[in-house]
Amino acid sequence: MTSEQTGKQNAFMAFFSRPIVGIIGSLASIIGIGLSVYFYFAAKETPELTCFVHPVKTAVVRAEQTSDLTVQFAGEKINGNVTAAQIAIWNAGRKPIRSENILRPLILRTSDKSQILEARLKKTSREVTGLVLDTQNLADGKLQVNWDILEKHDGGVIQLIYSGDEQVS
């Protein structure tokens, strides 16, 4: 080895022997580990089916406040309250939710099995979702929601009109 090469090697070793270089290297390692954990979870694709019932429900008819007004459903008089509620369903995750990935169907139920008089899909994010309502069990207070695929931020808004007051969840 020549004296010039030895001098360069000594300068190189002297640079990395400084405490500030060791501290900066340690901080960079800690930050690198933290960033790798963050980016791992940020890039992770998981489905997240989310449902939100709007807290403000609309009283369509209040039985105790009506005078000569009568309400009928399918030709039968309704003596109790009638209320409307809106429910939003969407995929808040990054991974699409396909209908074949669902083990049990999504069923919306009234808490006291109040009869659902009408269920309508008010809005969908995109037609390709294939979001549809199965209204066969409305008399039992059940509404089944089906779809083909819900990609990130796909979903819809459902309006339920049921017999009962605003306290029914």
Side-chain angles (χ1 to χ4, degrees):
M1 227 185 243
T2 66
S3 64
E4 185 179 316
Q5 289 176 337
T6 306
K8 286 183 179 179
Q9 187 177 12
N10 287 341
F12 182 76
M13 292 300 287
F15 175 76
F16 283 104
S17 297
R18 294 179 184 171
I20 189 72
V21 174
I23 292 171
I24 291 173
S26 297
L27 287 175
S29 297
I30 292 169
I31 291 171
I33 290 170
L35 285 174
S36 66
V37 170
Y38 168 76
F39 285 123
Y40 170 76
F41 286 109
K44 195 172 184 180
E45 290 188 356
T46 56
E48 188 178 336
L49 185 62
T50 306
C51 181
F52 176 74
V53 179
H54 196 284
V56 178
K57 297 175 184 167
T58 306
V60 178
V61 173
R62 288 195 174 135
E64 65 275 358
Q65 293 181 353
T66 58
S67 54
D68 294 330
L69 181 66
T70 60
V71 179
Q72 291 186 355
F73 176 72
E76 294 183 30
K77 184 178 177 182
I78 297 178
N79 295 321
N81 297 327
V82 177
T83 306
Q86 291 200 359
I87 303 167
I89 297 173
W90 73 96
N91 180 8
R94 293 177 179 251
K95 185 175 183 180
I97 304 172
R98 299 181 185 277
S99 59
E100 58 267 14
N101 296 347
I102 303 297
L103 299 177
R104 291 185 300 175
L106 175 64
I107 298 176
L108 303 175
R109 302 170 195 230
T110 53
S111 60
D112 61 354
K113 298 184 181 180
S114 294
Q115 180 182 10
I116 299 173
L117 305 173
E118 181 179 84
R120 292 190 320 174
L121 191 59
K122 298 289 282 182
K123 182 180 180 184
T124 58
S125 58
R126 300 183 303 155
E127 290 295 321
V128 72
T129 61
L131 197 61
V132 293
L133 305 177
D134 182 355
T135 58
Q136 293 179 6
N137 296 316
L138 293 182
D140 299 329
K142 298 178 186 177
L143 172 68
Q144 183 171 326
V145 182
N146 300 314
W147 61 84
D148 294 330
I149 185 170
L150 291 178
E151 293 180 349
K152 183 178 180 180
H153 301 305
D154 274 346
V157 177
I158 301 166
Q159 181 181 36
L160 294 182
I161 298 176
Y162 60 92
S163 61
D165 60 14
E166 294 93 351
Q167 303 307 314
V168 174
S169 59

